Structure formats: structure tokens, C-alpha cells
Amino acid sequence: MSEATTTEVMPAQGAVPAVAGPVVHEEHEHAGPRQYVMIAVVLAIVTALEIGVSYMEDSLSPNLIILLLGVMAAIKFFLVAAWFMHLRFDSPILRRLFLVGLIAAPILYLILLATLHVFDPSL
Amino acid sequence: MTTTLATTTAAPPVPSSGHPETNTGISHTKLAFWAFLGSECLFFGAFITTYLLYRGRDQLLDKPPYPRDLFDIPFTSVTSFILLMSSLTMVLSLAAHQKGDLRQMRIWLFTTALFGLTFIGGQVYEFSHFVHEIQKINPDGGILSTNLFTSTFFILTGLHGAHVTVGIFWLLSLYARSLQGRLGPEKAEAVEIAGLYWHFVDVVWIFIFTAIYLVPQH
């Protein structure tokens, strides 16, 4: 599995440091092919479940189907972003940078949809 | 008397990360690319929101075709699965490159491009089938302007398809560079950045596929 190592980055001699003192960040080893294949198997299973749930309109309420599909899409997204895109292993700065867009976008658009009465069942 | 100031600058240490020394310890290219991906979330979010906003409103106007008239869920599920698995081949390509196994890297890179081409082929087939069906229902109308569904559907999925196409060209260019010997182990970041882009178009499709095809139609 992954092993955490701490790297201390010192400014090059003669260079003017932009920040006071050394910058410390963490680097982790990435997963191996075996873990990647296991993640892909989980993704395949979740995708099969998603498609199965979408055909259960007669036995499940539409709201429950939407909820289940949303949760499963989020699981798939998390697995790809964390493992395949290495967010789980890379520097936290990258994670935070991406999370800004990722959190800002749904909040912004959910407010927009609510403003336009998309969630109003009478419409 | 002339005084000469001798400036001695030590050679910068050879970075183990494969990129020049930075204040954050992270490559500027990688940092900028993650910021770009964050902005892409907002870009695709806008089009997904527009689709959801107009979803089902065509029934109120009684202006077909409706999604249920056109969608072939099993077919799109297969092409979506192929795109999802292309993320696996992409990350295997990067892992091989980081280990210095350039032959394996090339095989997985080409497989990823091939999976991407299969997805785009499926989308082209789907689009041409939909256009044919729309023209049967509405022979005098345009395609994009037929109704709210066709406008939002073709623009959202078309933009995603354009992103996948750019990704395919990117991967094939890396493959060609590798064949020319210009993608050695020291260029791991080039493969990593291309991989980030490829995984991103894959995760965007996860949400598009769910929102458009799987969520129950009205």
C-alpha cells in the first residue's frame, strides 16, 4: 500500500525565497496496477447497479431512484478522482484547488435551479 | 583598483519530482492544470444545469420527440462502460511510464485512445440515429431547434464529445512522441497531465450519463 514520506523543499542557493522558511508538503507513493484493477472492478459493479436501478421504475419511487443514482454517481466520481487522478496521494493543495470548483459548481447551480422552481413538483 | 565581485551560484539540486524547483514543491504546470479542471467543473455544470432546467418541459408544449422516443439505454451503457474502463488503461499507462516500462506505457496509451475512439464512434452513431428519428417526427424543423430537449441534449453531449476528441488527439500525439523516443521516463509529467484530462472527461460523463439517460423520464 501507499507509504507516506515527508519532503522538505529548500529554496535554491542564491534565489530569493518568496515565502519565509522552507515549504513542507507531503508526497505519497501512488497505488499499483493491482489496486487500479480492483478499483475498476468496483466501478464496473456500481455501473451495473446504476443501470439496474434505472430499470426499476415500477417498484421504486422516482425520487428514490434519483437519490440512489446520485449516490452511485458520487461513489464512481470519488473512486476515479481519488485513485486514478491520484488526489488521494498528491499534495493537499491540488485537492483543495479542485474542491473549490467541485463544491462551488453544485452550490451555484442548485441555487439557480431552486430559483427557477425546478424542484417544485406542481410544475 | 578594480574590484571584481565573483558571484558563485550553486547548481540547483536535481529534483526527484521531474519538474523544476517551485515554492510549493508542486509543478506549476500541474497546479495550473488542476485549476483548469476546477473551472471545467463550472463549465460543464452550467450545461448540465441547463439540461435539468428544461428537462420535461417539452411535454408541456407537446412538441416531440421526447427522450423516451430516442434513447437506447443498453447501447449507451456499453459505450459509457468503455469510456469508464479507458480510465483504467490510462492510469496503467502512467504507472508503466513511472516504472520506466515504455513498451507497456505505449500499449496502454494506445488502448486508451482506442477506447476513446469507440466511445466517440458510438456517439456519432447515436447522433445520426437521433437526427434520423427527429427528421421522421418533425420533417420541416431543424435539429438543434426542434425543441428544448434536442437543443440542450446535443449541446451538452456534443461539448463532452469534443473534449473526448481533443483527448484522443492528445493521447495519440503522446504515442507518436514515444515512438520517436521523445517521451522518456523524465517526461512522466506529460503523461500525468494528459491522464488528468482524460480522467476528468470520464468523471464528467459519469454525471452526464446519470442525469440524461438513467434518471427516470417524465
Side-chain angles (χ1 to χ4, degrees):
Chain A
M1 266 311 278
S2 60
E3 187 182 314
T5 56
T6 303
T7 312
E8 192 175 3
V9 180
M10 297 293 292
Q13 194 179 342
V16 179
V19 290
V23 178
V24 176
H25 74 102
E26 285 189 356
E27 272 182 10
H28 300 256
E29 280 182 16
H30 294 171
R34 193 187 166 92
Q35 282 102 324
Y36 293 140
V37 172
M38 283 171 67
I39 294 292
V41 170
V42 175
L43 285 170
I45 292 167
V46 176
T47 305
L49 286 172
E50 271 186 320
I51 295 160
V53 165
S54 74
Y55 279 101
M56 296 175 78
E57 283 185 66
D58 295 334
S59 49
L60 297 175
S61 72
N63 286 343
L64 182 60
I65 291 176
I66 291 169
L67 179 71
L68 289 172
L69 289 174
V71 169
M72 286 190 277
I75 290 170
K76 285 166 70 178
F77 169 81
F78 171 78
L79 289 173
V80 174
W83 291 83
F84 289 174
M85 295 173 90
H86 300 142
L87 272 186
R88 192 169 183 273
F89 311 103
D90 267 346
S91 168
I93 296 172
L94 301 175
R95 195 159 49 236
R96 287 176 203 138
L97 202 63
F98 185 57
L99 279 176
V100 170
L102 193 65
I103 294 169
I107 290 174
L108 174 69
Y109 298 128
L110 281 173
I111 291 170
L112 179 74
L113 288 173
T115 310
L116 296 167
H117 306 287
V118 168
F119 305 115
D120 189 343
S122 63
L123 290 174
Chain B
M1 198 175 90
T2 310
T3 309
T4 308
L5 289 173
T7 310
T8 53
T9 307
V14 179
S16 59
S17 49
H19 60 78
E21 201 84 19
T22 61
N23 290 333
T24 55
I26 302 164
S27 147
H28 287 159
T29 313
K30 199 169 164 182
L31 197 62
F33 203 79
W34 272 107
F36 165 71
L37 293 183
S39 73
E40 283 276 279
C41 289
L42 288 158
F43 176 81
F44 277 106
F47 290 100
I48 294 172
T49 304
T50 309
Y51 181 85
L52 294 175
L53 180 62
Y54 292 130
R55 190 173 160 272
R57 307 261 163 140
D58 287 320
Q59 275 89 334
L60 302 174
L61 303 171
D62 194 23
K63 198 175 178 191
Y66 308 127
R68 63 171 175 270
D69 303 327
L70 300 175
F71 287 167
D72 180 357
I73 304 294
F75 176 78
T76 315
S77 299
V78 170
T79 56
S80 301
F81 182 72
I82 289 168
L83 187 67
L84 193 64
M85 288 303 108
S86 74
S87 261
L88 171 66
T89 56
M90 185 68 234
V91 80
L92 289 175
S93 170
L94 177 63
H97 194 252
Q98 285 169 341
K99 278 197 297 187
D101 190 345
L102 297 182
R103 189 178 161 273
Q104 277 288 323
M105 184 272 286
R106 272 197 294 273
I107 290 171
W108 289 123
L109 204 60
F110 191 75
T111 310
T112 310
L114 207 61
F115 280 3
L117 273 170
T118 309
F119 175 81
I120 286 295
Q123 197 170 41
V124 168
Y125 168 77
E126 190 182 41
F127 274 24
S128 55
H129 172 68
F130 287 2
V131 167
H132 182 69
E133 291 297 312
I134 290 166
Q135 283 174 336
K136 270 202 296 190
I137 296 169
N138 186 18
D140 302 325
I143 302 302
L144 281 175
S145 58
T146 300
N147 61 22
L148 294 171
F149 160 68
T150 57
S151 302
T152 51
F153 170 82
F154 282 117
I155 288 178
L156 173 57
T157 54
L159 276 171
H160 178 268
H163 275 72
V164 176
T165 307
V166 168
I168 292 167
F169 280 113
W170 194 345
L171 296 178
L172 290 176
S173 75
L174 287 178
Y175 182 78
R177 276 173 63 186
S178 175
L179 285 177
Q180 293 165 355
R182 294 194 292 133
L183 199 69
E186 76 285 356
K187 302 273 186 187
E189 193 177 81
V191 181
E192 189 175 3
I193 299 284
L196 287 177
Y197 178 83
W198 192 259
H199 297 309
F200 180 78
V201 294
D202 179 31
V203 292
V204 167
W205 185 254
I206 287 173
F207 287 111
I208 293 176
F209 178 59
T210 302
I212 293 183
Y213 294 91
L214 298 183
V215 164
Q217 307 298 331
H218 288 275

